[in-house]
Structure formats: C-alpha cells, structure tokens
Amino acid sequence: MGTGEPVRRTVWLDSADPESVRVIDQCLLPFEYAEVSIRTAEGMAAAIRDMVVRGAGCIGASAGYGMYLAALEARYMSGADGAAHLERAGAALEASRPTAVNLSWAVQRQLGELAGITAGDERVTRAREIAESIADEDVASCAAIGQYGLGLIEEIYARTSRPVNVMTHCNAGWLAFVSHGTATAPMYAAHDAGIPVHVWVSETRPRNQGARLTAWELGEHGVPHTLIVDNAAGHLMQHGKVDLIIVGSDRTTINGDVANKIGTYMKAVAAADNDIPFYAALPSSTFDPSSRDGLADIPIEERDPREVTNATAFHDGHQIEPRVAAPGTGAINYGFDVTPARLVAGIISERGICRASEESILSLYPEFVGGVISR
Amino acid sequence: MGTGEPVRRTVWLDSADPESVRVIDQCLLPFEYAEVSIRTAEGMAAAIRDMVVRGAGCIGASAGYGMYLAALEARYMSGADGAAHLERAGAALEASRPTAVNLSWAVQRQLGELAGITAGDERVTRAREIAESIADEDVASCAAIGQYGLGLIEEIYARTSRPVNVMTHCNAGWLAFVSHGTATAPMYAAHDAGIPVHVWVSETRPRNQGARLTAWELGEHGVPHTLIVDNAAGHLMQHGKVDLIIVGSDRTTINGDVANKIGTYMKAVAAADNDIPFYAALPSSTFDPSSRDGLADIPIEERDPREVTNATAFHDGHQIEPRVAAPGTGAINYGFDVTPARLVAGIISERGICRASEESILSLYPEFVGGVISR
C-alpha cells in the first residue's frame, strides 16, 4: 500500500464479490477484530446507525458505498422507479446519524451525479466510480496531512537524533477515516519513512477512544506507543518526554480555535507551559468559516452521565459497562472542549501547514474569505 | 459533632467495648459500607497492610490505636516482657506500609512515652490517652485547615451571592484522615456554616479515588457535588464554572512546590490560564524543608500499569478489575506529579494560609528555617 496506508481500509469493495462492501466492525474493537459484508443500502444505513462504522471520514465513504448498493438494487427498475429508490436509500442513509455532515455530503454527491442517468447498468458503474472516488479522496486528503506533518517530525528527529515522542488524544486515526487518519497520519508517515517515533496515547475518558482505538490501530501498524491516563500528560511534558502533540478536530473556527474531544484544552495549556508545539490535524471540511470565536460559538454536546459513572470494559469474554463511581453520585458529561487559537502552534491540513490565525488559514483556503462556505 | 466533623471518624474506640477499635473498611467503599472491630495489634497491622484503613492521617492514628491494643495484650506481662511485646508490635505496625512516615511517627511517640512505665494497667491507660491524643490532634489540625479555608469560600460567597463552585482532585478527604480531611475540610466547614457550596469531583484515574471516595464522603455529609472525568476540568474553568480549586498534597517543598496525585499539575496550569485561585491544603507534617525544587527532588512513584489498562468497577455484586484498553497495549503509570509554586495561589495549613514561597512558609513555620526538620 501507499505511504502510511494501513494494510486495509475501514470500508472497501470486496475484491471477491464486487457487489458487496466490506467494513471493519468497530463495535467489537479492540477486543475482537471482525469484518462484515454489507450487501444492501438498508444494511449500510443500519451499520452507520449502530456505529459498526464511525468517524466522519469513514461514515461519509460508507454512505457513498451505500448509494452504490442502492444503484445495484435499482439496476432493473424503470427510470422513475430507479430514481425513487435512490432517493429513498439516500434519505435513509442521511438519517442514520443525526449530525454528521459527511453523510449528507456523500449522498448528495451521488444523487447529483446520478440524476441524469436512466440506464441501470450505467448508473451502477457510475455509482461505483463515485463511491471509490469519495473513499480515495479521503485517503488522499489524509495522506497529504501525513506528508505535511511528517516534516514536523523529521525536523525534530534531525535536531535530536533520538526517537521522537508524539502525544495524541482520542482517536483521529484511520479507523475514523478510510485510511491514515488525520492526527495519526504524520505518525504513520514517519514510521513508514524509518524515523523512530513513539506515541503517547492518552486513554480519553469517558469513552476511552485512545485506549481502545488509537492504541489498537497503532499496534496493528507496528508503531511503538504507550498508554497513559489523561492525568499523566502534563507530568510527561514537564519532564521533557513529549516533543510534539498532534490532535484531530471536530470543528475549527476560521481564526483557529480548535474544538476537539474533551480534555484537549488541558493538554494544550500544559503544552504551552512547557514550550511544546501543539498542532491540530484536520481536513478542510472541518473549518467553520462562519465563526471567529470557538468558545462562544461552538455548542458543546452534553452526553449521558452514565459514560462518566461507568466504564466500558472487557470481562469474562464480554463487553460490559460496570459502575466505577460511588452509588448515587451524579455526573455531567461534556463531549468536547475548545482550545483557543493562541495555544495552537499550527494546523496541519491537506493543503499544508498554516498558523492558527484567520490570515494564515485564509491564505491556504481563500474560498473561506467572507465567511461563506463555497466548497 | 463539632464544626464540619462527619458523624463518625475513620478510626475510634468502641464505646460499647473500649478494648476494641472500630474502623471503616475502606476496601469495600463506595459500593458497601461496613465497620470492622480490631482487637489485636497484629490485626491492626494487617488492616493497615491490606488498606482496610488508608490515607496518611488515618493510618497514623490507626497505628497509635494499634499500640494501645499492644499495651492491652501486655497488661499482665512482666516489665521486660511487656516492653519487648510493645517493641515487637511497634515494629510490625511500622512495617505494615513501606513509606508512610505517619506510621513510624505514631509508633515512636507511643514507645517513647510508654518507655518508663512498668505497671501494666498504667501503661494501658497511658497508651489509650496517647492514641486518643494522636487522633484528636489530627482532627484539630484538619479542623483548623477547614476554618482557614472557610474564609476563602466566605469571601467568594460575599462577592457573588451564589453557590460557590469548588473543585478538588483525588481524595484528601476525611477518609484519608481521622475526620474533616484537608482539601475537603473547608468544604465541610462552609456547608456546615450554611454557605451554599457545590463541589466538582474529578474522578482521578487510574484509581478513581475522586469517583469512589470523595464523591461518597461528600454524599454522606450532604454536600452537593457533581462527578466529572478528569478531562472536563479545563472546560468548566473556561466557562466560569469554577471559583476555587483546593487539593491535598503528599509532599510540599519549602518553596511551595506541591506534589500530589497525578493530574494535579494540569488542573493548576488550566486554573492559571483562567485566573482561578488554586490552593493546596495540608498539615505541617507534609512540608519537606530539605527541598527547594520539587520537580528535581521529589521521586515520582511508578505503579503497576495494570491500573491504567484496567479499571476497578462494580459488576454483578462484586468488585472486578476488567480491562479497558486494547489487548497487548503497554502502559505507564505515574502516581504523582509536581505543581510548581508559581501556579499555587496559597497553602492552607493548620496555622493559617501562606503564599507558596519560602519566605511566606517560613513566616508560619519558623522551625523549618535552615532546612532542618525540628518537629
């Protein structure tokens, strides 16, 4: 495979049966690895809804493949019936997760490009091409992020001539995309380029995506890594054990405020206290050109307090969610926080690295000038 | 009970049977509350070793009571045999936990004061008085910390006229002492004085002492509190939801560097970023007058990585330690970190509040001048 791309993707066409889509069942990870074949658009919508596939890039590509499965189902339908079937399948895919912009983007792209095609076979061929394009573009975007981020790691290695210690938080890894990931892409690129990297993986309570997913995928790819509790990040920074921090982002304002998994801000502020560069890696679709104030503008999801009072764990061959907190104690569960641009050394995007400032972001993304999204 | 003292202590003489010591079995908390009667010095050493009782102040007082039980055992022995029995019991108590200075201090105080007494009954009476004194002094010291810290909370309440939001980390609560605790003492004092306080309890991975012990004891005392994951502390601070942070300390250098549970430093640095006062509450026995550089001088314990890869939880009526991390992933587990004095607004001790500076600490504790411990 290409630079840093893992041995498999999160979603792909089955080479033995190209009318079937294969995905990694992410519900079972990291305690069990299994692939699932999906053969209907409805099945793909269910897989997205049940989080068999998850992560912005991954579910976007999955929805693209779901529309290909819908085109297969519509192959022998009349023109009008076929078009209606595609519309219904697209609506079901879009509704499978409430807030994921990537779902809608992939479905609408398929519907738009298939609109003028009435021949069933031609529609299948075209839907397949589009689905493959959506996946390949995700891979290319993450690969570019990896190459730009690689430069940061190379520079540290050239200066220190010892393994480069990179810290990350949560999972902005290939499991959340089609391949490479965003925050992880530079780590894979460096590892594949023969630069010794070691990754500090913070467990990322409450849902432990670091301990479960990032640790698993780094292990699968052979990248040296060590798990820590979120609390230990600052201590490592104080003692010179962290050279670079790279996280993902769920939304980044046009001035460079970075919304990401809860706990990201504390890592950024500790990094600043220890003069450690803190970067966010993200595709351009993550930018929100309509906001210049992340702390004021970005709504922070409050999730089920049970994620805080309980843990997801593996016991006697099963995943369980046992209680870890004192009985009767109430909890609050914020999903994300916002790291102000002043704490962000730079943003690694598929077009290069820019500073976390409106001027620098707009120099790479002139289409965001004026706060209007013109993608 | 007196100001802020909970309805019971962690260790006390059984009023129905004064030749028996009662303790709360802290191994079972928070999922089960049980008291245990201890009738022999050997039994007390086992209770300390097995962490039925834990926390510096609590095990110091327990060792004091253990020596009283030893004096009961030696009541009818000859002078020399009795003295030898006390020596043996003291050695066993001191050896019950490896590094706890409070154990040795309590045992040596008993041995020193009992040395000249040969009559068995007189020795029992005196050992009981000393044990009660050690416990009462711990209570008085924590109560004084509570009263000094109360002033900080009162000042905020006078200024804001709304519930005061105090954040803490780990358990520096009454369970770790005989009563009141250190970091919790001002919270109990404020609650008992009718000032509305609400406590943010960070769960304190990996051992979850916040979620298990602090949440439990605040709940028992009726103090409003909310559990959060450690990652959420910074977000709350950014959004004005924290007025004051009070933590305990395991060791504080003479210049005011505060060693405490892992994760404390990240809270302190986020507090500084948001202009929130960050205090450490500690008895004078916590000061290390021989060090002026906590980051360089204080050794940080590395504990079993299993605490990071696994969680302690309650499932089907039992405490279990299921795995939470990806199989095969390695972890590192630092027990403590050091918060530099520059991030500490002040130290709340039993003699008052001082700044985290050598000059200010020595003004309250002149016996530490010259770096010699002259307690």
Side-chain angles (χ1 to χ4, degrees), chain B residues 4-365:
Chain B
E5 189 165 355
V7 289
R8 63 185 88 80
R9 294 180 173 190
T10 52
V11 52
W12 66 97
L13 277 188
D14 190 340
S15 56
D17 169 17
E19 300 199 351
S20 167
V21 179
R22 300 278 284 178
V23 301
I24 297 173
D25 185 347
Q26 299 198 30
C27 292
L28 302 176
L29 287 179
F31 303 112
E32 195 178 326
Y33 177 85
E35 298 173 1
V36 180
S37 280
I38 296 174
R39 295 188 178 82
T40 65
E42 199 173 69
M44 184 62 87
I48 296 169
R49 186 186 63 231
D50 299 341
M51 298 180 76
V52 172
V53 288
R54 35 65 63 190
C58 176
I59 63 176
S62 297
Y65 283 115
M67 291 302 289
Y68 159 64
L69 295 172
L72 281 169
E73 289 155 7
R75 185 186 302 188
Y76 305 112
M77 294 181 187
S78 73
D81 285 356
H85 181 76
L86 286 177
E87 286 285 347
R88 275 196 306 276
L93 285 163
E94 284 196 47
S96 58
R97 282 289 290 281
T99 54
V101 68
N102 298 60
L103 278 182
S104 165
W105 174 83
V107 168
Q108 293 305 320
R109 177 164 164 185
Q110 284 275 24
L111 287 176
E113 297 215 32
L114 301 178
I117 307 176
T118 50
D121 279 339
E122 190 189 340
R123 198 161 48 200
V124 165
T125 303
R126 188 74 193 111
R128 176 177 166 161
E129 287 167 359
I130 297 164
E132 296 279 62
S133 287
I134 291 171
D136 288 345
E137 287 164 22
D138 184 272
V139 173
S141 166
C142 288
I145 288 170
Q147 290 305 305
Y148 287 116
L150 169 61
L152 298 172
I153 296 173
E154 283 175 330
E155 186 275 320
I156 295 167
Y157 184 58
R159 181 157 42 80
T160 63
S161 302
R162 53 154 180 77
V164 178
N165 287 300
V166 187
M167 179 178 282
T168 191
H169 187 58
C170 198
N171 178 253
W174 69 265
L175 287 168
F177 292 86
V178 178
S179 187
H180 300 290
T182 53
T184 51
M187 306 169 199
Y188 291 128
H191 179 76
D192 291 351
I195 297 173
V197 286
H198 166 262
V199 182
W200 295 111
V201 178
S202 57
E203 64 173 347
T204 320
R205 277 279 289 157
R207 288 170 59 81
N208 278 352
Q209 295 96 330
R212 293 168 64 92
L213 302 180
T214 304
W216 180 84
E217 65 170 72
L218 290 170
E220 286 287 295
H221 202 82
V223 181
H225 64 281
T226 305
L227 180 67
I228 55 168
V229 292
D230 302 298
N231 279 327
H235 174 76
L236 291 170
M237 295 186 215
Q238 286 179 298
H239 290 271
K241 294 183 177 174
V242 183
D243 296 306
L244 174 68
I245 300 172
I246 310 177
V247 300
S249 173
D250 294 89
R251 195 195 294 195
T252 292
T253 62
I254 203 64
N255 66 308
D257 293 341
V258 174
N260 191 44
K261 187 64 55 192
I262 191 78
T264 302
Y265 161 66
M266 293 178 84
K267 288 193 165 60
V269 74
D273 197 47
N274 292 284
D275 291 322
I276 295 164
F278 177 94
Y279 283 85
L282 45 105
S284 59
S285 56
T286 301
F287 283 115
D288 178 355
S290 70
S291 170
R292 289 191 172 88
D293 184 346
L295 275 168
D297 294 347
I298 300 178
I300 300 298
E301 177 188 7
E302 277 187 39
R303 299 177 52 85
D304 189 341
R306 196 179 139 83
E307 292 180 352
V308 176
T309 56
N310 294 52
T312 302
F314 197 68
H315 180 66
D316 276 351
H318 298 283
Q319 290 204 52
I320 58 171
E321 294 184 357
R323 188 162 180 106
V324 293
T329 288
I332 195 162
N333 184 15
Y334 299 101
F336 305 92
D337 63 24
V338 174
T339 298
R342 65 184 159 84
L343 300 174
V344 180
I347 293 170
I348 312 171
S349 79
E350 76 270 27
R351 289 194 203 160
I353 298 177
C354 59
R355 292 192 311 283
S357 73
E358 183 163 348
E359 185 189 7
S360 188
I361 292 169
L362 291 180
S363 73
L364 275 189
Y365 292 91

Side-chain angles (χ1 to χ4, degrees), chain A residues 8-199:
Chain A
R8 63 186 88 79
R9 294 180 173 191
T10 51
V11 53
W12 67 98
L13 276 188
D14 191 340
S15 56
D17 170 16
E19 300 198 351
S20 165
V21 179
R22 300 278 283 178
V23 301
I24 297 173
D25 185 347
Q26 299 198 31
C27 291
L28 301 176
L29 287 179
F31 302 113
E32 195 177 326
Y33 177 85
E35 298 173 0
V36 180
S37 280
I38 297 173
R39 296 188 178 84
T40 64
E42 199 173 68
M44 185 63 86
I48 296 169
R49 186 187 61 232
D50 299 341
M51 298 180 77
V52 172
V53 288
R54 34 67 62 189
C58 176
I59 63 176
S62 297
Y65 283 115
M67 290 303 289
Y68 159 64
L69 295 172
L72 281 169
E73 290 156 7
R75 187 185 301 189
Y76 304 113
M77 294 180 187
S78 73
D81 284 356
H85 181 77
L86 286 176
E87 287 284 349
R88 274 196 306 276
L93 284 163
E94 285 196 48
S96 59
R97 283 288 290 281
T99 54
V101 68
N102 298 59
L103 279 181
S104 164
W105 173 83
V107 167
Q108 292 305 321
R109 178 164 163 187
Q110 284 275 25
L111 287 175
E113 297 214 32
L114 301 179
I117 307 174
T118 49
D121 279 337
E122 190 189 341
R123 197 161 49 200
V124 166
T125 304
R126 187 74 193 111
R128 177 177 165 160
E129 287 167 359
I130 297 164
E132 296 279 62
S133 288
I134 291 172
D136 289 345
E137 288 164 20
D138 185 271
V139 174
S141 166
C142 289
I145 289 171
Q147 290 304 307
Y148 287 116
L150 169 61
L152 298 173
I153 296 174
E154 282 175 331
E155 187 275 320
I156 294 166
Y157 184 58
R159 182 157 41 81
T160 63
S161 301
R162 54 153 181 76
V164 178
N165 287 300
V166 187
M167 180 178 280
T168 191
H169 187 58
C170 199
N171 178 252
W174 69 266
L175 287 168
F177 293 86
V178 178
S179 186
H180 301 289
T182 52
T184 52
M187 306 170 200
Y188 291 129
H191 179 76
D192 291 351
I195 297 173
V197 286
H198 166 262
V199 183

